[in-house]
Amino acid sequence: MRKHVASVLVAASLSMPLVHRGQPSSSQDESYLSWDERRAVEIGRSFREDGRVGGIFDTRILSTNRSYNYKLRATWMTPEVIRASARLAQLREFLTDDQTRAL
């Protein structure tokens, strides 16, 4: 079962076009330390994909332990998403800029 889900994730990642945002400059690299919570959450959500795995017509309605139709959510862990996650951790855990950079 897990092999099927993993193979679908790999196939989906290979079929989706990757967005190249380039390497951040030194000013962009530090700008994430001033993002507000709303902006960091928006960045994380912009790289989130929702979908379904399995067949549309599943005849095993009552036997959910043998179902092969699942909902799926994945987040692309790009450098921008990682910076947004670090900024959210900084805001929620009251971290210093140096502690946030270390994340």
Side-chain angles (χ1 to χ4, degrees):
M1 184 74 64
R2 290 183 181 174
K3 288 181 182 179
H4 176 68
V5 173
S7 65
V8 170
L9 286 174
V10 170
S13 67
L14 294 176
S15 65
M16 295 179 144
L18 294 177
V19 178
H20 179 68
R21 298 185 187 264
Q23 293 296 326
S25 66
S26 60
S27 63
Q28 284 180 331
D29 193 40
E30 296 293 316
S31 68
Y32 73 96
L33 296 172
S34 63
W35 291 346
D36 62 349
E37 183 177 0
R38 192 182 99 235
R39 180 169 181 199
V41 169
E42 285 176 6
I43 289 170
R45 285 186 181 156
S46 69
F47 286 92
R48 185 172 66 189
E49 296 291 331
D50 294 324
R52 296 189 68 82
V53 178
I56 295 173
F57 301 107
D58 187 2
T59 59
R60 297 171 281 181
I61 295 171
L62 299 176
S63 301
T64 57
N65 60 335
R66 289 180 273 163
S67 177
Y68 63 92
N69 194 356
Y70 299 97
K71 290 182 180 179
L72 175 69
R73 177 176 286 169
T75 302
W76 295 94
M77 295 306 291
T78 63
E80 193 172 9
V81 171
I82 293 169
R83 285 192 289 272
S85 298
R87 177 61 177 159
L88 285 173
Q90 180 184 26
L91 292 172
R92 293 177 180 162
E93 299 174 19
F94 306 104
L95 302 176
T96 64
D97 287 349
D98 290 332
Q99 290 172 322
T100 306
R101 285 185 201 100
L103 290 176

